[in-house]
Amino acid sequence: MNNTQRQIAVIGGGLSGICSAFFLAAQGHDVVVIERRSHVAEEATFGNAGLLAPGTALPLTLPGALATLACRFNDEPRVLLAPGADLARNRWLRQTRQAQQHDFAANKLLLARLSAYGLDLTRQLQAHYAMENENSQGVFHLMRAPAEVARLDALQQAAQQCELRYKVLDTAGIRQLEPAFSSEAALAGAVYYPDDVAGNCVLFAKQMRNAAQEFGVRFHFDSTVRALQPDFGSRVTLELDSPHLPGRLTVDTVVVAAGAQSAALLQAVQMTLPLRALQTYSALVPVKNPDDAPNMALYDESYKVSLTRLGQRIRITGLLGFVPPSKTLPPKALRNLLKIAGDYYPNAANYNQAHFWSNTVGLLPGGMPLFGPTRFGNVFVNLGHGVTGWASAVGSSRILADLISGETPEFDAQGFLPQDLLAA
């Protein structure tokens, strides 16, 4: 247990911020969470796919440059692009492709290990606090295109090194495990992870808020951090717009877990992050025929879309959009989500009664989360977990709390630290 209590401000009330606050308070620190929205888990966490799945934990993978550009003219695009030239976006996409070509296998292994650690922690938390959950067991990782099957070796190697149980299946093999799965679905390959889990990430985040409050964490909503003013070896001052807090708040340590808004705040610590704000899309549909509805989750590699069963509902989440946020969702995104679900489970749900929404997530071009200290030793980050980053966010939050408290983490953070990104 840490004996040196610090005053710590966590910026961001999503899953990363809530879990960071929980683990820090559990280690004896005085923690506040500052969130610009009116409740926890209203932005990127609200768009989480609900996968607690080390097997399907992947660094970001997107089509090549020409294929991505062609998506603009496709009725069923894998990526949504805004019209017009965007040099910053094109540069970001090039960085993404370079990371895929050179680092995919190594990053997949790192992310699978971190997610396995986070899954174990999540199970412990759910059991300890007797949390309500809508968990299901088993996740299918499906590949439509032959080019995606080339990654099977990396997936299997990561599963073996992380001691994850898995099985390579064809469509017939999937139907043996999941009879509702369509025999007409066209697949190039599939991997089944029987120990991976899917559930309700937002429900977990809200229950973690309650657990954090039991340790004394205070949550301040409708409060925006405008700027950080750090000093080497000293304290950090936050400039705030808040109905509950003074305009300036000085603390010992700050954790920036503000998703897509993090990059602007981190300029104060001379950290320039290639963090890109992307849209993701979700649909919730009511189950029509329980016998034709899935019992296990799936992740579609081609479209980056997951399907999870939440009681009498099916959640469809994913599809990246390089488009500005809007209250009017792109029709292509809505059609795609329902098409993908219909490909696999055509008779499962009332797809014409779908409820749609979109969320903004902040992603780095390598597709990996980032957590740890900045060059200012009292400013830390915890961001970039993406749509399928439930398990990695829990794992990174515990590691971050250990680093801040001067404890030796159970998990080696190398490969996720800011110094690793900046050296790459």
Side-chain angles (χ1 to χ4, degrees):
M1 175 68 69
N2 168 60
N3 293 319
T4 306
Q5 185 189 61
R6 298 189 190 186
Q7 292 178 315
I8 300 177
V10 177
I11 305 173
L15 183 62
S16 297
I18 297 167
C19 291
S20 296
F22 169 85
F23 288 119
L24 285 164
Q27 293 183 1
H29 299 291
D30 178 19
V31 184
V32 298
V33 175
I34 302 170
E35 166 56 44
R36 66 180 189 149
R37 302 292 288 267
S38 300
H39 302 282
V40 297
E42 285 207 341
E43 297 198 32
T45 300
F46 197 76
N48 187 277
L51 295 180
L52 271 165
T56 55
L58 294 169
L60 178 68
T61 55
L62 292 173
L66 293 177
T68 301
L69 181 62
C71 285
R72 185 181 296 168
F73 310 102
N74 193 327
D75 286 336
E76 298 175 3
R78 287 165 167 75
V79 177
L80 298 180
L81 295 179
D86 187 334
L87 297 179
R89 178 195 67 205
N90 295 341
R91 182 169 58 251
W92 193 91
L93 286 169
R94 283 197 301 272
Q95 292 175 311
T96 296
R97 294 299 295 171
Q98 290 169 359
Q100 289 173 29
Q101 292 166 2
H102 301 296
D103 304 319
F104 177 82
N107 285 346
K108 163 60 185 170
L109 179 58
L110 282 172
L111 198 51
R113 284 176 169 162
L114 176 63
S115 298
Y117 178 61
L119 172 57
D120 185 54
L121 288 172
T122 302
R123 284 173 164 155
Q124 292 177 36
L125 290 164
Q126 288 179 329
H128 179 78
Y129 288 98
M131 291 183 179
E132 296 179 30
N133 66 70
E134 296 176 304
N135 291 358
S136 63
Q137 194 79 22
V139 178
F140 297 104
H141 185 178
L142 311 181
M143 293 158 229
R144 295 175 182 248
E148 293 158 4
V149 180
R151 294 201 178 97
L152 268 177
D153 286 344
L155 300 183
Q156 293 180 75
Q157 182 180 5
Q160 290 164 1
Q161 294 192 37
C162 296
E163 299 183 350
L164 306 177
R165 290 199 298 151
Y166 73 95
K167 189 173 183 180
V168 179
L169 300 172
D170 57 13
T171 305
I174 295 175
R175 278 191 58 80
Q176 286 184 334
L177 294 170
E178 184 71 275
F181 193 83
S182 173
S183 59
E184 298 180 2
L187 293 180
V191 185
Y192 172 59
Y193 298 96
D195 298 324
D196 279 6
V197 176
N200 190 328
C201 183
V202 174
L203 177 61
F204 174 75
K206 290 180 177 179
Q207 292 176 105
M208 282 299 295
R209 175 201 172 177
N210 295 336
Q213 287 178 314
E214 290 183 17
F215 278 112
V217 176
R218 303 176 305 285
F219 287 79
H220 297 283
F221 297 105
D222 301 311
S223 300
T224 300
V225 178
R226 295 298 181 192
L228 302 179
Q229 294 180 357
D231 294 318
F232 275 112
S234 185
R235 308 185 81 197
V236 186
T237 299
L238 285 66
E239 295 184 4
L240 299 167
D241 286 340
S242 171
H244 319 291
L245 295 167
R248 292 169 65 86
L249 177 67
T250 300
V251 295
D252 298 315
T253 301
V254 169
V255 175
V256 179
Q261 287 74 46
S262 299
L265 292 172
L266 290 168
Q267 290 179 359
V269 294
Q270 301 169 26
M271 175 181 283
T272 302
L273 283 182
L275 194 68
R276 182 86 190 189
L278 290 98
Q279 298 304 300
T280 66
Y281 304 92
S282 299
L284 195 67
V285 296
V287 170
K288 177 176 66 175
N289 298 313
D291 290 343
D292 293 322
N295 292 306
M296 290 175 275
L298 67 79
Y299 179 76
D300 183 307
E301 171 69 18
S302 294
Y303 288 94
K304 316 297 180 232
V305 167
S306 67
L307 277 75
T308 56
R309 175 82 176 267
L310 300 174
Q312 293 305 305
R313 301 156 295 155
I314 298 173
R315 178 165 174 162
I316 316 157
T317 302
L319 196 66
L320 295 175
F322 291 81
V323 296
S326 171
K327 293 182 180 179
T328 304
L329 304 187
K332 287 183 178 181
L334 311 188
R335 288 197 303 268
N336 254 15
L337 292 178
L338 299 187
K339 173 204 177 298
I340 292 162
D343 285 348
Y344 298 129
Y345 303 109
N347 302 312
N350 289 309
Y351 293 115
N352 60 346
Q353 297 178 21
H355 170 65
F356 296 99
W357 68 96
S358 68
N359 295 91
T360 303
V361 298
L363 292 176
L364 295 165
M368 297 288 279
L370 183 74
F371 55 89
T374 67
R375 63 190 300 268
F376 286 76
N378 50 4
V379 177
F380 293 75
V381 297
N382 190 5
L383 52 87
H385 296 276
V387 182
T388 57
W390 178 353
S392 67
V394 176
S396 70
S397 298
R398 172 57 192 273
I399 299 162
L400 186 72
D402 289 338
L403 292 172
I404 291 173
S405 298
E407 304 287 342
T408 301
E410 298 174 316
F411 186 95
D412 184 357
Q414 186 173 357
F416 299 102
L417 298 168
Q419 64 195 45
D420 300 327
L421 173 76
L422 297 176

